[in-house]
Every structure is written in C-alpha cells, then in structure tokens.
Amino acid sequence: MTHEQYQEAIDWLFVQMPNYQTDGQKAYKPGLDNIIKLCAFFGNPQEKIKCIHIGGTNGKGSSSNMLASVLQEAGYTIGLYNSPHLIDFTERIKINGKNCDKEFVFDFIQKLKNLPEDIRPSFFEFTTIMAFEYFAQQQVDFAIIEVGLGGRLDSTNIIRPLISAITNVQLDHQNILGDTIEEIAGEKAGIIKPNTPIISGDENEVVKNIISKKAAQENAPFIDSTLFHTTLTSDLKGNYQQKNIRVVLAMIEELKKLSIEISDKAIEKGLLNVHQNTGFIGRWFEFSKNPLTICDTGHNQAGLEYVFSQLNSIDRHKHVILGFVNDKKIDEVMDLLPENSEFYFAKPSVNRGRHPEDYENLLREAKIFYKIFNSVQEAYLSAKERCTNEDMIFIGGSNFVVGEFLEKNLEISK
C-alpha cells in the first residue's frame, strides 16, 4: 500500500459516508440497530475487549487520555478511541499512544465495500467498529472508548463496560440532543449500564440528580467525583483539568475494586506524562514559548468560557485567532471574548466552516479590533507578524481551526 492509496481510501471514506464533520444531522443515525448489525457482521469484536466508557459534553477527551496514560504507566496495553482527529484519521484509534496502523485502516475500508445491502453505516459507526476490531486483533488489556455524540443513541453504546463516566453536561448539539440541560443530561445518562459503576463529574445538582436517578434504576453504583480532593496535577494544562483529574481518580478507584493493580506512582507519572504517553494535543496545548502560542479545541459555550477566562488571567496582550462552524451561535461567543486582545477571524477549511463575513455585523457591534481572513494559516501569519515576544497568540473556536493550524505548522516547529 502506498501513501497515495491510503489517502485515496480515506478520501473515499469521507465522500461515501455521512460524516458529522460535513453533513450535520444526516450523520447522526438514531438507534443502535445499525451498529448492532455491523458488529455482528464482524463477529462482535466489542465483546472480546474490556472497555471503559467515557461521555460528557466537555472533558471526555482529556479524561480518557489521562486515564490511558495512567494505565500505561501501570504496565497495561491500552486501546484509546477518541474523536474527532486533528490532523490524521489514525489519531482516532491508538494503542499505547501509537496511531492505528495505516495498512489496517486501508484494508478495513476495503471491507466496507462488501457489506450487506441492509447495513449502510454512518462515518462514525464505521470508525467505531474499526476501533473495536483493531483493539480485539491487538489484544489490548483495556480499551477506553470515548462517546461520540450524546450517549443513549451513540454508536459506542453497544459496549458493556467495566465502568462508565460522564464528565459534565453542558449545552451543545441542541439540534440533536435537546434544548435543555435536563434533556441533554438524559441523553448522556443513556450510557449507564446495569450494575456498572458510573462516575459523575458535574457540579450542577440538576445534572447529578438525573444521573444518580438513572443509576438507581439500573442498580449502578453512583460515584460523585466532585467530592474527591487531590493535589495531583497533569501536564495537560488549563485550569479546567482539575475537574477532569478528579473524574480520572474516581475511575481509578473503581478499577482498583475490580482487582486491577494501579500504583500511586503510576497515577502520578501517568497524569504528568499524558502528552508523551498518548500523543494527546489540542487542549491548552503550548505550541511555542516565543511568542507564547496556545491552542485549545474548546468550542461550545461552556468550553469557551473556561478557555477565555484563563486567557483573561494571563497578563499579556493577546492575538486571538478564532473560527467557527455553521451551527455556532456567534452572538453567545461575542459576550465571552477575552480582554486586552485583538482578533483574527478565519473560515475553517471544511464544508461546515463559516466565513467571518457572515457574522461581521456582530463583530462590529462588539466594538473589538478585528481582521478577517480566508484561512486559519493567513490569520496565524498575520498575528505572528504583529506579535512581540511579550505578547501571546491563541488559536481556537473549533476542532477544525486547531487541526488546520497544527497540520500546517506542527512539523515546521520541530
């Protein structure tokens, strides 16, 4: 298989299959019938692996990578399924920090062409079964599975995990999951399984009650990680990571009850070496020190509140590069923008990317200093030109903005 053949296969996959990155609601198939058929066709590989299931609006990516790092330090072989990818498709499926083998991906895509007529998977359904199959083939000790969207009807919800976690519940994907926190919490709580411990990381009493009530219905032990206290830190920066650390520690306590050996040293080292152990980037990721350049994939209102609040705590002039997708409520973002900043708005180079000219009236009303660019890279180069070493640059607003920036610049920086 050549690089060109691999790229052709990936391109074909994106074109042939509905994908949330480009098609919005069409890619979200309600119900688990399709994934059940798909898994059966491949011999139900999800039943051959020990899984840990992590959902939530924000923090599930960070929490799953932290837990993977800790378990790797404890000597286990860990499969990790995250989405979306930032640069390469194989980032979605990793074992001990190493991206999925491209040969496997290529061969598996060929199998897609031979599926029975009654199985027409979405992009996410197909990548989910691909992860299950890869982890089963490689005989991982544990597979950490991140929920894609929601929970109850998410493709990953076919698994029967050892433990589950819901990091938090915030307003996001309302067009699919519901208009209120209560509705969204109900969807997230759909991952709770009978007699399976569920860790809840949300401080909102309304959310806690919904999750604990569902847990009681399923006879599932309910663990409130917000009651955990710790001084442990992680190399994943961002003030919000303290909440994720507590979720991870609660999961570890439950795993220990299942006779899974995890030492205090493995916990400490694992939390401090997430980047190295799992290759996770994108959350308060320090791209460079001179000038200080930070990326963060926080993109919904709650995520941006955390990120912009932290930016406000840094006493530097800021050059803030932002881009959004079509379903983003830009007016909500305008109310959150960090102070002491000049802004560079750009269109992400995906079909869902929204050109800043579409919402320029809101930029004018916000009375901020801004410029508009056709691409993230143009915006970055402009910011870099204006930025002194005493200033800082921030890139965010969307996974696609951060992915596009890193794809263009990560190799150059090495």
Side-chain angles (χ1 to χ4, degrees):
M1 178 202 67
T2 65
H3 172 74
E4 289 73 22
Q5 287 174 316
Y6 166 77
Q7 197 55 54
E8 280 177 15
I10 291 294
D11 292 344
W12 181 89
L13 186 65
F14 275 81
V15 169
Q16 293 294 318
M17 306 179 74
N19 170 26
Y20 187 73
Q21 293 183 36
T22 56
D23 290 339
Q25 196 159 356
K26 285 191 294 183
Y28 187 71
K29 291 192 171 187
L32 299 177
D33 290 350
N34 217 41
I35 189 68
I36 290 169
K37 289 179 186 175
L38 192 58
C39 286
F41 179 81
F42 284 101
N44 288 311
Q46 79 281 3
E47 295 178 358
K48 301 169 188 172
I49 50 180
K50 294 177 182 176
C51 295
I52 297 161
H53 207 189
I54 303 180
T57 305
N58 295 311
K60 56 184 181 287
S62 296
S63 298
S64 59
N65 276 268
M66 283 184 192
L67 182 60
S69 181
V70 168
L71 291 174
Q72 285 170 225
E73 290 286 355
Y76 299 105
T77 300
I78 303 301
L80 181 60
Y81 180 47
N82 291 135
S83 64
H85 63 273
L86 291 179
I87 300 173
D88 190 88
F89 175 86
T90 55
E91 294 169 32
R92 293 169 177 259
I93 304 169
K94 294 181 179 181
I95 295 179
N96 281 15
K98 185 179 178 184
N99 289 6
C100 181
D101 181 66
K102 289 186 176 181
E103 193 89 41
F104 170 84
V105 172
F106 176 83
D107 291 342
F108 206 79
I109 290 173
Q110 308 317 306
K111 295 176 183 178
L112 171 62
K113 300 170 184 177
N114 298 316
L115 287 176
E117 281 296 320
D118 65 330
I119 307 177
R120 282 292 169 263
S122 69
F123 178 90
F124 190 74
E125 285 170 336
F126 189 69
T127 55
T128 299
I129 184 62
M130 186 187 294
F132 294 157
E133 180 66 18
Y134 191 62
F135 296 152
Q137 282 188 19
Q138 299 297 316
Q139 298 181 318
V140 299
D141 294 317
F142 304 101
I144 300 172
I145 307 296
E146 179 191 330
V147 173
L149 179 63
R152 181 175 64 92
L153 299 176
D154 189 73
S155 307
T156 64
N157 207 26
I158 192 173
I159 62 175
R160 292 293 177 265
L162 300 173
I163 60 171
S164 303
I166 299 170
T167 54
N168 57 50
V169 177
Q170 304 286 349
L171 292 174
D172 199 18
H173 302 300
Q174 289 100 307
N175 61 322
I176 297 172
L177 300 179
D179 292 322
T180 67
I181 288 290
E182 289 84 354
E183 287 177 303
I184 296 173
E187 289 297 315
K188 304 279 186 193
I191 68 170
I192 298 172
K193 303 294 188 303
N195 309 305
T196 303
I198 177 71
I199 290 87
S200 169
D202 202 303
E203 295 170 344
N204 185 333
E205 291 299 326
V206 172
V207 172
K208 280 187 193 182
N209 288 339
I210 290 170
I211 295 173
S212 61
K213 185 176 179 181
K214 175 66 173 175
Q217 290 171 0
E218 299 292 346
N219 197 35
F222 172 82
I223 300 94
D224 182 357
S225 72
T226 67
L227 303 177
F228 279 58
H229 299 284
T230 182
T231 57
L232 292 173
T233 58
S234 172
D235 64 330
L236 297 189
K237 302 306 177 187
N239 297 337
Y240 51 79
Q241 296 295 3
Q242 276 303 312
K243 296 179 180 181
N244 296 329
I245 288 171
R246 291 196 288 269
V247 170
V248 171
L249 294 177
M251 287 192 282
I252 290 167
E253 286 304 306
E254 292 307 307
L255 291 173
K256 284 181 176 180
K257 291 176 185 176
L258 299 174
S259 301
I260 296 167
E261 294 184 10
I262 308 166
S263 69
D264 289 346
K265 185 177 180 181
I267 296 169
E268 185 177 353
K269 285 186 68 179
L271 290 174
L272 288 172
N273 292 284
V274 182
H275 287 304
Q276 179 183 319
N277 288 342
T278 73
F280 184 56
I281 55 176
R283 297 314 311 252
W284 205 260
F285 174 62
E286 188 176 294
F287 174 78
S288 75
K289 291 186 182 295
N290 293 304
L292 177 62
T293 303
I294 300 288
C295 313
D296 196 287
T297 54
H299 57 277
N300 52 45
Q301 188 172 3
L304 289 172
E305 271 185 46
Y306 283 128
V307 169
F308 290 162
S309 172
Q310 185 151 2
L311 279 175
N312 280 332
S313 72
I314 300 172
D315 187 20
R316 292 187 186 220
H317 183 69
K318 303 164 189 77
H319 301 261
V320 179
I321 299 162
L322 296 172
F324 307 105
V325 293
N326 286 327
D327 58 356
K328 176 61 61 186
K329 294 180 178 177
I330 309 294
D331 55 337
E332 293 178 353
V333 178
M334 292 297 107
D335 295 336
L336 304 173
L337 292 177
E339 302 158 2
N340 191 23
S341 304
E342 47 194 276
F343 298 90
Y344 306 70
F345 290 93
K347 177 188 180 298
S349 63
V350 291
N351 290 349
R352 289 173 63 216
R354 189 171 179 186
H355 201 287
E357 289 174 354
D358 292 348
Y359 52 84
E360 190 171 7
N361 60 317
L362 294 173
L363 304 182
R364 290 196 198 98
E365 289 171 13
K367 293 184 170 57
I368 56 175
F369 179 85
Y370 71 90
K371 291 184 177 182
I372 285 177
F373 299 87
N374 290 319
S375 74
V376 172
Q377 187 66 2
E378 283 179 29
Y380 170 62
L381 293 175
S382 177
K384 195 176 178 185
E385 194 173 309
R386 290 178 58 86
C387 187
T388 70
N389 277 346
E390 287 70 46
D391 296 348
M392 72 171 289
I393 296 173
F394 174 82
I395 302 105
S398 164
N399 286 297
F400 306 114
V401 170
V402 174
E404 194 173 329
F405 166 74
L406 292 174
E407 185 174 16
K408 295 281 187 185
N409 300 285
L410 199 56
E411 289 301 318
I412 297 171
S413 71
K414 290 180 178 177

